[in-house]
């Protein structure tokens, strides 16, 4: 039976090793099969280089029509599974057609690659970068090996970052004013703010601040919107004032301080390759004693701040 | 039934809460033991989630809280160790804030905050400020109160106070104060809000529950008072105004009353004194249902005690014009609270009075002013019947008496009697009694007629029947009261006889209105007081001869006569008789024969006309004989007339033994040792013989009626008289007659029919012993006795 098994095994093993593989930062990424693997991280316009080594199974030779390495940036829509849209595709020929009898290494380099989009794993869409090595053969099909990598792009701090201020309410029922210190937050930022209660006539049980992610895919009539609550943070237990006293002289303020670091957030993505967008919202929710919810949603922009700066 | 169910359920919820808490605490301990910070945070947050319950009453919630509190201590120690192991405290401080639920988050934050301050990596004031600010997130009253109480607890020893190790560069005390004040304000808001949440029918229950929680709020004030850096200046400028602002603005009855009291109790006296105006100005602004009078009373009580602590503090009181401020404020409070019960008003004035007496003992005008204000409030109403109010009134009126120990002072207070007017009869009487007792206790001397008049007007409740007071029985209280009045009359004294006479006249005027019930108690002391004056005049006349005093014994005797006559309307003849005799004796001492005679005449008339009871007759006749015996002022004629009458009365007594005794007593009327003129041996003997005859008759009567002879007692008594006169040298009393008498007695006693009478035996024996004694003594008397042989 051994030889039959041998027949289905790839005739050689392909190893992709990156030039600075040991020193490069890696992040954990969940694969489709549920396993978590560590994957190297790159930035836009970085040079990606390394070595490919091909080692035939001992005593066998590999006949091929050429070996190439591709760098692919792909977007996969879940409603259109298996159909990848490549927005980036770079190819390097590693070898001309021939035979490999023993272990052979090929260096490769993609200098200053344009990788404008970040790797993203959403509800309905996935954006991924991959190195693909293929040994094309006449028979037995090509031998292919993939190496995923993650792209993360830092942004400089925004030059304009206004606070969010808003007054909302239900007439003669509830009147509040809220204030978040910024409209743009980096991923490890802290949301600081205050909620002012000017009038409370409904029996509020508690108040939460939620972070919601809104992912929209497709366009036109085919647009799919998926909203996910990533954080639910209780801001207030009970309710402050009983009756309207005088909003000028008397208002209760509830402090807001929400650390973003514990949550798995990513930057805001706007219209990535005309395929999808991901936006973030702060949702202030008041729950009354009958579990009715009163809420107000505000968009915030998330950005990735350089970790070194 | 329903409430039982609730209690049961509550127990169930509590035990469920405790179980949950313990389970998570267990996991937390394991995480702590293995230095697993992540798990420690996770389980401690879960543990603290048990405190999110809304189902427990404050009492039960407290139980749960205390358990969590203990666990948090362990966690705090862990955090501390963690930082020493190199974990940054700043990181920890952030890490605990990741908890999604606010209540566990804030408990953890306070716990880490405590470690943070201790680490001194950040100024204490910044951490405290952050904590107290973040705690705003808990707006649920019960949970908020406990959380803030926890904050207060963990921060108490970490305030940046003067001298504290957490003291910062400049002015950090202010931060400490600011922190406590803010926590206090927030807690009070929560506490007040509690009253308004939930169904209206459970309002009372909520009030009660809030009562249980009040110390959580009050604790903050206590902390403030403990801050070293809160000096008078800061208290005045910051602490007090801020606290009062909260108190006034919260408009909650329970909170206002409790917090005002708290302020008064926790801060030092001198602070109160220096900020009196501020403190007092808050009072009229309180809700009208607040028991301000108690609050103010406590304040004044404290200040009074402070004033009493030493005279060196008194200038402070003067300096801040404490009295004027208090008085003014009380006026305002009373004005502001229209429906304050009268008892409250009086309580306020009573407290103010106590205060004034302590601080300004010399300012009678202040005291009168207070009483005046009180009168104003009391007058125009019905007489007070509210027992609480009357009690306070009595306290109010007693205070000056106790302080000055001198009714004189009270009599100078023009408003004092006016308040008395407002009292109902019972209270009036009670108060009068207090006054009298006070005078008696302090032996106050009241020496002018004017004052006496005022005093008696003041205590008129004791002196005469007030309208409506008609019960006739003489109960023990009444007798006690009248005896007090009697003692009071005795104590009135003036060195100036003329004034004294006026005093007596005044008293007389008052007591004559007293009615038949009182006269028997009040007349005698007055008479004796008068007689005392007579005797004093007598003595003075001897020393200062020839004065032209308008106050003469004669005049007094006239007055006395009239006074005693008042008694005739009441059937107390024996009392009147006794008084007449006393007067006669006084007249005797003044050598006023006609007056003395007149008194005797009056006494005799009473004896003849009024005294019909034979027993009374006996005592009266002995009184008459005794008094008459001592009279020396009478001329022969008058004396004869009187003695004759007296012997006549004696012989006419109903019972023979009484007759016998009265008759032999009469013998003394005829023999006065120090008056040569009155030595009528014959009549002495006559009396004795007559007594013997009567005694014989007694024996015979006894034989006739009972078949046995009576006691020899009478004979022995007569024998004693014989011996007396024998000794005095009455020649008519012979040795033989004595010996005969002794023999007679022996016969009587040895007779078969005579009953044995141990009293008589003993009497005889001691009489004989006396004879023997005199014999043994020798000398002239002994010689005389030697003649007597058995």
């Amino acid at each position: 039976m051994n030889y039959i098994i041998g027949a289905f095994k790839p005739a050689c093993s392909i190893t992709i090793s990156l030039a600075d593989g040991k020193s490069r930062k890696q992040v954990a990424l969940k694969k489709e099969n549920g396993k978590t693997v560590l994957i190297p991280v790159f930035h836009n316009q970085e040079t990606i280089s390394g070595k490919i080594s091909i080692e035939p199974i001992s005593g066998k030779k590999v006949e091929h029509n050429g070996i190439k390495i591709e760098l692919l940036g792909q977007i996969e829509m879940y409603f259109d599974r298996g159909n990848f849209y490549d927005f980036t595709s770079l190819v390097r020929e590693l070898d001309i057609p021939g035979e490999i009898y023993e272990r052979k290494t090929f260096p490769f380099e993609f200098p200053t690659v344009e990788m404008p989009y970040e790797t993203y794993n959403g509800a309905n869409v996935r954006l991924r970068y991959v190195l693909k090595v293929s040994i094309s053969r006449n028979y037995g099909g090509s031998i292919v090996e993939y190496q995923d990598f993650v792209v993360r792009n830092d942004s400089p701090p925004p030059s304009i970052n206004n606070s969010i201020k808003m007054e909302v309410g239900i007439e003669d029922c509830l009147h509040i004013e809220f204030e978040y210190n910024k409209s743009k937050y980096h991923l490890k930022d802290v949301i600081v703010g205050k909620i002012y209660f000017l009038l409370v006539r409904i029996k509020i049980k508690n108040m939460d601040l939620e972070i919601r992610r809104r992912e929209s895919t497709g366009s036109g009539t085919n647009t799919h919107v998926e909203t996910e609550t990533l954080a639910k943070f209780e801001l207030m237990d009970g309710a402050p004032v009983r009756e309207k006293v005088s909003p000028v002289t008397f208002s209760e303020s509830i402090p807001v301080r929400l650390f973003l670091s514990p949550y798995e957030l990513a930057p805001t993505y706007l219209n990535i390759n005309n395929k999808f967008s991901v936006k973030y919202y702060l949702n202030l929710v008041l729950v009354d004693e009958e579990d009715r919810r009163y809420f107000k949603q505000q968009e915030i922009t998330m950005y990735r701040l350089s970790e070194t700066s | 039934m329903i409430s039982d169910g609730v209690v049961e359920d509550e127990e169930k919820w509590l035990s469920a809460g405790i179980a949950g808490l313990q389970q998570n605490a267990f996991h937390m301990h394991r995480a702590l033991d293995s230095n697993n910070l992540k798990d420690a945070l996770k389980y401690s947050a879960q543990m603290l989630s048990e405190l999110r319950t809304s189902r427990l009453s404050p009492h039960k919630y407290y139980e749960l809280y205390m358990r969590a509190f203990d666990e948090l201590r362990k966690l705090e120690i862990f955090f501390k160790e963690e930082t020493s192991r190199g974990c940054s405290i700043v990181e920890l401080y952030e890490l605990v804030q990741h908890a999604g639920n606010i209540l566990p988050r804030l408990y953890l934050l306070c716990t880490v905050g405590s470690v943070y301050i201790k680490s001194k990596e950040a100024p204490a004031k910044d951490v405290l400020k952050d904590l107290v600010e973040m705690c705003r997130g808990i707006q649920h009253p019960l949970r908020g109160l406990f959380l803030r109480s926890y904050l207060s607890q963990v921060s108490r020893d970490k305030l940046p106070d003067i001298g504290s190790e957490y003291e910062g560069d400049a002015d950090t005390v202010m931060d400490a104060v600011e922190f406590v004040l803010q926590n206090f304000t927030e807690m009070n808001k929560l506490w007040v809000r509690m009253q308004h949440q939930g169904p209206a029918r459970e309002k009372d229950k909520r009030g009660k529950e809030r009562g249980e929680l009040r110390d959580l709020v009050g604790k903050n004030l206590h902390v403030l008072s403990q801050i070293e850096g809160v000096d008078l200046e800061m208290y005045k400028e910051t602490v007090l105004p801020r606290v009062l602002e909260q108190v006034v603005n919260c408009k909650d009855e329970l909170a206002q009353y409790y917090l005002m009291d708290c302020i008064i109790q926790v801060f030092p006296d001198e602070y109160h004194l220096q900020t009196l105006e501020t403190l007092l100005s808050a009072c009229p602004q309180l809700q009208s249902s607040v028991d301000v009078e108690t609050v103010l009373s406590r304040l004044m009580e404290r200040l009074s005690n402070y004033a009493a602590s030493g005279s060196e503090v008194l200038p402070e009181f003067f300096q801040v014009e404490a009295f004027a401020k208090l008085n003014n404020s009380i006026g305002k409070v009373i004005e502001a609270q229209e429906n304050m019960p009268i008892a409250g008003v009086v309580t306020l004035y009573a407290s103010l009075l106590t205060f004034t007496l302590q601080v300004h003992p010399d300012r009678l005008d202040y005291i009168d002013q207070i009483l005046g204000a009180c009168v104003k409030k009391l007058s125009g109403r019905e007489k007070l019947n509210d027992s609480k109010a009357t009690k306070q009134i009595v306290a109010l009126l007693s205070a000056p008496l106790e302080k000055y120990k001198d009714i004189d002072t009270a009599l100078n207070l023009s408003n004092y009697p006016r308040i008395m007017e407002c009292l109902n009869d019972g209270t009036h009487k009670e108060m009068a009694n207090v006054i009298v007792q006070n005078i008696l206790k302090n032996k106050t001397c009241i020496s002018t007629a004017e004052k006496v008049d005022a005093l008696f007007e003041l205590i008129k409740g004791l002196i005469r029947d007030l309208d409506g007071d008609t019960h006739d029985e003489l109960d023990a209280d009444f007798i006690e009261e009248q005896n007090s009045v009697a003692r009071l009359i005795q104590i009135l004294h003036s060195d100036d006889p003329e004034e004294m006479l006026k005093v007596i006249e005044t008293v007389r005027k008052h007591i004559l209105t007293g009615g038949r019930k009182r006269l028997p108690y009040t007349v005698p002391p007055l008479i004796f007081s008068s007689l005392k004056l007579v005797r004093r005049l007598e003595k003075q006349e001897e020393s200062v001869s020839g004065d032209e005093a308008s106050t003469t014994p004669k005049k007094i005797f006239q007055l006395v006569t009239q006074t005693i006559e008042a008694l005739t309307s009441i059937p107390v003849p024996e009392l009147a008789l006794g008084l007449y005799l006393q007067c006669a004796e006084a007249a005797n001492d003044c050598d006023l024969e006609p007056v003395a005679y007149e008194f005797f005449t009056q006494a005799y008339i009473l004896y003849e006309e009024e005294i019909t009871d034979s027993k009374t007759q006996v005592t009266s006749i002995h009184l008459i004989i005794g008094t008459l015996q001592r009279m020396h002022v009478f001329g022969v004629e008058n004396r004869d007339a009187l003695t004759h009458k007296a012997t006549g009365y004696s012989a006419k007594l109903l019972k023979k033994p009484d007759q016998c005794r009265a008759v032999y007593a009469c013998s003394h009327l005829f023999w006065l040792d120090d008056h040569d003129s009155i030595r009528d041996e014959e009549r002495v003997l006559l009396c004795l013989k007559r007594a013997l005859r009567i005694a014989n008759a007694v024996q015979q009567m006894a034989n006739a009626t009972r078949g046995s002879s009576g006691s020899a007692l009478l004979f022995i008594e007569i024998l004693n008289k014989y011996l007396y006169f024998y000794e005095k040298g009455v020649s008519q009393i012979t040795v033989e007659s004595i010996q005969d008498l002794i023999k007679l007695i022996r016969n009587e006693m040895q007779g078969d029919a005579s009953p044995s009478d141990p009293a008589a035996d003993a009497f005889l024996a001691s009489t004989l012993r006396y004879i023997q004694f005199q014999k043994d003594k020798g000398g002239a008397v002994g010689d005389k006795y030697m003649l007597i042989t058995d």
Side-chain angles (χ1 to χ4, degrees):
Chain A
M1 293 288 281
N2 246 349
Y3 73 96
I4 300 177
I5 294 167
F8 288 101
K9 271 178 102 179
C12 61
S13 66
I14 304 168
T15 317
I16 308 170
S17 53
L18 295 166
D20 47 1
K22 286 199 178 123
S23 59
R24 182 162 290 277
K25 191 187 167 203
Q26 293 187 311
V27 292
L29 205 71
K30 223 176 201 176
K31 299 279 279 183
E32 277 163 48
N33 57 14
K35 282 184 186 162
T36 312
V37 288
L38 285 173
I39 294 174
V41 179
F42 287 89
H43 296 298
N44 189 18
Q45 295 191 324
E46 258 191 301
T47 297
I48 302 173
S49 62
K51 284 182 296 189
I52 310 293
S53 68
I54 297 168
E55 191 170 5
I57 290 168
S58 54
K60 283 201 171 176
K61 62 167 187 188
V62 178
E63 224 176 301
H64 64 88
N65 292 337
I67 303 173
K68 62 177 180 183
I69 179 163
E70 292 165 283
L71 189 155
L72 302 172
Q74 304 177 313
I75 293 171
E76 181 188 17
M77 308 295 244
Y78 289 173
F79 58 84
D80 191 14
R81 198 169 280 261
N83 203 356
F84 296 101
Y85 170 79
D86 293 349
F87 57 88
T88 295
S89 175
L90 300 167
V91 188
R92 295 283 182 274
E93 297 288 342
L94 294 179
D95 204 0
I96 50 164
E99 288 173 347
I100 298 173
Y101 299 94
E102 55 191 359
R103 182 193 167 93
K104 199 170 175 187
T105 8
F106 308 94
F108 70 92
E109 188 186 48
F110 298 100
T112 44
V113 189
E114 280 295 333
M115 296 179 289
Y117 311 130
E118 287 200 344
T119 304
Y120 173 68
N121 256 315
N124 286 325
V125 66
R126 187 159 73 123
L127 187 151
R128 70 163 191 165
Y129 288 92
V130 70
L131 287 169
K132 180 181 175 188
V133 177
S134 11
I135 305 171
S136 46
R137 293 193 289 178
N138 287 332
Y139 52 94
S142 303
I143 301 170
V144 182
E145 180 64 32
Y146 296 96
Q147 166 69 53
D148 280 287
F149 67 92
V150 164
V151 170
R152 289 195 167 162
N153 290 327
D154 297 338
S155 315
S159 52
I160 298 169
N161 197 348
N162 294 323
S163 62
I164 300 175
K165 250 187 193 171
M166 183 157 270
E167 222 180 295
V168 289
I170 309 166
E171 200 169 347
D172 288 334
C173 249
L174 179 70
H175 191 179
I176 62 174
E177 212 179 287
F178 60 80
E179 184 179 349
Y180 307 124
N181 59 338
K182 301 175 193 169
S183 49
K184 295 166 184 162
Y185 293 94
H186 63 81
L187 304 184
K188 308 281 177 213
D189 218 341
V190 191
I191 299 175
V192 176
K194 266 202 162 129
I195 320 286
Y196 299 94
F197 283 81
L198 306 177
L199 171 68
V200 189
R201 278 201 189 134
I202 44 176
K203 291 177 174 172
I204 293 187
K205 211 163 62 174
N206 62 335
M207 174 170 73
D208 293 336
L209 187 63
E210 296 176 342
I211 301 175
R212 289 157 75 85
R213 180 167 72 185
R214 190 162 169 273
E215 176 191 287
S216 60
T217 50
S219 56
T221 49
N222 269 339
T223 311
H224 289 254
V225 176
E226 192 74 37
T227 309
E228 220 181 323
T229 301
L230 302 178
K232 187 170 178 241
F233 190 74
E234 195 181 11
L235 288 182
M236 181 178 80
D237 174 16
V241 278
R242 179 176 56 102
E243 254 309 312
K244 182 166 190 166
V245 183
S246 158
V248 186
T249 58
F250 189 86
S251 70
E252 285 288 353
S253 67
I254 305 299
V256 179
R257 184 188 293 152
L258 173 56
F259 289 91
L260 297 175
S261 56
Y263 307 104
E264 284 177 22
L265 303 178
T268 299
Y269 304 134
L270 287 177
N271 201 13
I272 300 298
N273 220 257
N274 280 326
K275 296 284 185 217
F276 71 98
S277 295
V278 178
K279 290 180 175 178
Y280 290 88
Y281 295 87
L282 284 180
N283 192 24
L284 187 69
V285 186
L286 290 138
V287 185
D288 74 5
E289 283 180 352
E290 270 119 54
D291 282 327
R292 276 187 297 252
R293 289 158 62 88
Y294 308 83
F295 60 88
K296 179 69 188 172
Q297 202 158 278
Q298 284 292 305
E299 191 186 344
I300 50 170
T301 306
M302 298 302 302
Y303 65 95
R304 193 184 298 280
L305 193 66
S306 161
E307 279 171 27
T308 50
S309 67
Chain B
M1 293 302 276
I2 293 163
S3 66
D4 273 2
V6 169
V7 171
E8 235 166 70
D9 283 352
E10 235 196 293
E11 285 293 342
K12 222 161 60 197
W13 289 321
L14 175 63
S15 44
I18 290 174
L21 190 140
Q22 281 171 338
Q23 196 190 348
N24 285 306
F26 169 76
H27 288 296
M28 183 185 89
H29 291 162
R30 283 181 53 166
L32 298 187
D33 290 344
S34 54
N35 288 335
N36 186 338
L37 178 61
K38 209 177 137 219
D39 278 3
L41 290 180
K42 180 177 143 198
Y43 288 115
S44 55
Q46 281 181 19
M47 172 185 86
L48 290 165
S49 288
E50 296 296 342
L51 289 176
R52 298 173 72 207
T53 178
S54 299
R55 289 167 152 173
L56 299 179
S57 66
H59 194 70
K60 297 269 186 281
Y61 191 84
Y62 176 74
E63 214 172 298
L64 197 60
Y65 164 83
M66 280 318 289
R67 284 171 189 268
F69 184 85
D70 291 343
E71 296 302 335
L72 285 172
R73 295 275 64 74
K74 294 172 193 156
L75 194 64
E76 186 180 340
I77 294 167
F78 171 76
F79 285 150
K80 221 171 144 192
E81 288 167 358
E82 200 67 5
T83 54
S84 65
R85 276 194 290 268
C87 180
S88 142
I89 181 71
V90 185
E91 251 168 56
L92 260 181
Y93 196 70
E94 184 193 319
L95 217 50
V96 293
Q97 294 187 64
H98 293 173
N101 281 323
I102 184 159
L103 192 69
R105 179 165 77 232
L106 292 177
Y107 271 106
L108 290 174
L109 191 66
C110 291
T111 312
V112 177
S114 160
V115 181
Y116 198 178
I117 297 172
K118 269 194 205 153
S119 78
K120 296 184 191 158
E121 280 183 37
K125 63 166 192 172
D126 292 348
V127 180
L128 290 175
K129 201 172 166 192
D130 190 51
L131 291 176
V132 78
E133 191 59 33
M134 291 312 283
C135 282
R136 282 174 180 275
I138 305 297
Q139 292 291 335
H140 182 275
L142 184 62
R143 294 194 282 271
L145 275 173
F146 275 95
L147 172 70
R148 286 185 179 274
S149 161
Y150 178 70
L151 172 60
S152 163
Q153 186 76 23
V154 297
S155 63
R156 267 192 87 167
D157 53 345
K158 301 176 187 70
L159 298 175
D161 189 7
I162 287 178
S164 145
E165 55 176 316
Y166 305 104
E167 187 184 357
D169 314 331
D171 232 13
T172 53
V173 183
M174 201 60 211
D175 299 310
V177 170
E178 198 58 43
F179 166 75
V180 182
L181 275 175
Q182 198 181 339
N183 206 30
F184 160 74
T185 308
E186 292 301 324
M187 278 178 92
N188 190 45
K189 279 197 227 163
L190 293 171
W191 188 46
V192 170
R193 196 186 306 151
M194 216 171 163
Q195 190 69 45
H196 307 291
Q197 288 186 345
R201 67 191 143 81
E202 287 177 8
K203 210 172 165 194
D204 289 347
K205 189 180 150 216
R206 277 198 302 278
K208 197 171 145 267
E209 290 179 348
R210 284 187 60 208
E212 293 172 359
L213 292 171
R214 61 181 198 176
D215 286 346
L216 296 183
V217 184
K219 195 77 173 280
N220 287 298
L221 295 181
H222 187 244
V223 171
L224 275 176
S225 75
Q226 299 289 307
I227 294 179
E228 204 63 31
V230 175
D231 52 10
L232 179 60
E233 188 66 17
M234 186 176 289
Y235 178 75
K236 203 172 177 174
E237 298 299 324
T238 313
V239 177
L240 185 64
R242 291 275 299 276
V243 173
L244 283 181
E245 186 193 355
Q246 178 58 30
V247 171
V248 170
N249 286 343
C250 77
K251 299 198 190 310
D252 178 81
E253 177 191 347
L254 186 62
Q256 289 185 335
Y257 174 69
Y258 171 70
L259 292 175
M260 284 305 279
D261 196 35
C262 236
I263 295 172
I264 291 167
Q265 301 305 331
V266 301
F267 292 106
D269 299 314
E270 59 264 41
Y271 286 17
H272 291 319
L273 199 53
Q274 295 300 330
T275 56
L276 209 49
E277 211 159 0
T278 322
L279 189 58
L280 291 173
S281 68
C283 288
Q285 298 179 56
L286 302 180
Q287 301 298 99
S288 60
S289 50
V290 174
D291 183 5
V292 191
E293 55 270 24
T294 310
V295 170
L296 278 174
S297 298
R298 295 246 176 97
L299 174 63
M300 288 186 274
E301 195 182 309
R302 267 205 77 155
L303 291 178
S304 302
N305 291 341
Y306 180 50
S309 69
S311 55
E312 68 279 1
V313 299
L314 284 181
E316 288 180 43
F317 283 89
F318 303 147
Q319 189 208 329
V320 301
E321 295 174 330
F323 171 79
K325 284 175 186 167
L326 283 169
N327 191 22
N328 187 13
S329 160
I330 286 171
K332 275 188 191 151
V333 165
I334 291 173
E335 221 169 276
Q337 300 208 350
E338 278 174 9
N339 40 13
M340 182 191 278
I342 196 74
V345 176
V346 181
T347 311
L348 277 179
Y349 283 121
S351 306
L352 180 60
L353 193 72
T354 319
F355 169 81
T356 313
L357 288 172
Q358 196 61 256
V359 179
H360 304 283
D362 51 333
R363 297 296 297 263
L364 277 179
D365 54 331
Y366 284 174
I367 291 161
D368 206 34
Q369 204 176 325
I370 298 168
L371 294 175
C374 205
V375 167
K376 215 189 264 170
K377 212 58 206 175
L378 288 171
S379 57
R381 292 170 182 255
E382 291 189 12
K383 291 200 169 178
L384 279 175
N385 276 319
D386 168 15
S387 68
K388 203 178 153 202
T390 51
K391 215 173 128 195
Q392 286 298 336
I393 288 258
V394 171
L396 175 82
L397 291 174
S398 307
L401 297 180
E402 274 159 30
K403 174 70 185 177
Y404 296 112
K405 302 197 185 311
D406 180 4
I407 187 70
D408 257 12
T409 322
L411 293 176
N412 284 331
L413 300 168
S414 64
N415 284 310
Y416 202 94
R418 291 171 63 195
I419 293 196
M420 294 282 284
E421 287 299 325
C422 302
L423 303 178
N424 67 9
D425 296 347
T427 322
H428 195 286
K429 223 156 137 186
E430 189 185 340
M431 198 50 230
N433 217 350
V434 169
I435 295 173
V436 172
Q437 294 302 337
N438 184 275
I439 297 171
L440 294 178
K441 200 173 110 202
N442 298 310
K443 303 207 166 42
T444 317
C445 182
I446 298 142
S447 51
T448 69
E450 209 178 316
K451 280 182 185 165
V452 171
D453 193 34
L455 173 65
F456 274 73
E457 191 54 40
L458 212 54
I459 62 167
K460 65 184 175 201
L462 295 178
I463 300 302
R464 58 174 180 261
D465 289 336
L466 298 168
D467 24 284
D469 181 21
T470 47
H471 66 289
D472 265 336
E473 69 267 36
L474 303 175
D475 51 20
D477 284 350
F478 177 80
I479 294 170
E480 184 63 34
E481 279 164 22
Q482 294 307 316
N483 281 333
S484 300
V485 174
R487 289 172 63 198
L488 172 67
I489 296 173
Q490 292 278 20
I491 218 170
L492 305 174
H493 174 81
S494 168
D495 286 333
D496 176 12
E498 236 169 288
E499 191 61 41
M500 187 61 202
L501 180 62
K502 277 191 204 150
V503 167
I504 290 170
E505 275 170 344
T506 313
V507 173
R508 181 172 172 271
K509 185 183 86 194
H510 281 279
I511 63 167
L512 286 184
T513 61
R516 37 190 300 150
K517 278 198 307 181
R518 291 183 182 80
L519 284 178
Y521 294 95
T522 48
V523 168
L526 181 64
I527 300 297
F528 281 104
S529 190
S530 312
L531 296 182
K532 213 155 84 188
L533 178 61
V534 169
R535 295 218 157 81
R536 207 164 79 211
L537 283 172
E538 181 65 18
K539 256 184 233 156
Q540 267 180 3
E541 265 163 31
E542 276 166 21
S543 53
V544 197
S545 56
D547 57 359
E548 28 64 81
S550 61
T551 314
T552 60
K554 257 191 193 148
K555 209 169 161 190
I556 300 170
F557 281 126
Q558 281 166 16
L559 191 72
V560 164
T561 315
Q562 287 163 15
T563 313
I564 302 177
E565 270 166 8
L567 284 175
T568 53
S569 62
I570 326 153
V572 280
E574 66 272 38
L575 177 65
L577 182 129
L579 292 174
Y580 277 132
L581 292 177
Q582 287 289 344
C583 294
E585 211 174 336
N588 174 59
D589 294 346
C590 297
D591 283 329
L592 293 170
E593 187 181 356
V595 178
Y597 191 81
E598 176 59 24
F599 281 127
F600 257 97
T601 316
Q602 291 297 337
Y604 280 16
I605 291 171
L606 277 177
Y607 182 82
E608 283 173 10
E609 291 176 359
E610 306 282 343
I611 300 179
T612 47
D613 173 53
S614 56
K615 239 186 207 158
T616 321
Q617 280 180 344
V618 173
T619 42
S620 301
I621 194 71
H622 280 282
L623 263 182
I624 292 174
I625 295 167
T627 314
L628 190 52
Q629 199 262 345
R630 285 193 294 276
M631 304 299 279
H632 52 74
V633 73
F634 292 129
V636 182
E637 232 168 88
N638 278 343
R639 193 176 171 85
D640 269 357
L642 292 172
T643 47
H644 185 73
K645 268 282 178 198
T647 33
Y649 293 149
S650 305
K652 275 182 212 134
L653 288 170
L654 179 65
K655 287 201 251 171
K656 289 284 177 188
D658 289 338
Q659 269 183 23
C660 174
R661 287 187 175 108
V663 168
Y664 72 63
C666 282
S667 62
H668 288 288
L669 293 178
F670 305 108
W671 186 274
L672 261 70
D673 277 348
D674 40 2
H675 281 267
D676 293 342
S677 60
I678 312 169
R679 286 194 176 170
D680 191 340
E681 296 189 359
E682 210 158 317
R683 291 180 77 170
V684 169
L685 190 64
L686 218 63
C687 283
L688 293 178
K689 281 197 167 152
R690 198 164 170 188
L692 267 177
R693 263 205 310 280
I694 300 168
N696 262 324
V698 171
Q699 287 297 49
Q700 276 160 22
M701 257 170 67
N703 273 328
T705 52
R706 267 179 251 132
S708 65
S709 56
S711 165
L713 213 53
L714 283 174
F715 290 111
I716 307 170
E717 285 168 22
I718 298 169
L719 171 63
N720 274 284
K721 291 288 162 202
Y722 265 86
L723 288 174
Y724 171 81
F725 286 111
Y726 177 66
E727 205 179 304
K728 293 286 175 198
V730 179
S731 58
Q732 301 254 357
I733 309 288
T734 61
V735 178
E736 291 79 33
S737 60
I738 292 172
Q739 279 171 345
D740 286 350
L741 191 51
I742 295 172
K743 206 177 282 165
L744 173 73
I745 292 166
R746 290 224 165 103
N747 282 340
E748 283 288 333
M749 290 173 75
Q750 280 156 12
D752 300 332
S754 63
S756 72
D757 183 353
D761 289 347
F763 194 9
L764 180 61
S766 66
T767 310
L768 294 177
R769 216 166 36 243
Y770 176 73
I771 297 172
Q772 193 56 46
F773 170 72
Q774 293 291 14
K775 280 181 186 170
D776 295 349
K777 219 164 66 176
V781 182
D783 290 348
K784 247 182 153 179
Y785 272 91
M786 285 308 273
L787 299 173
I788 304 172
T789 53
D790 288 333

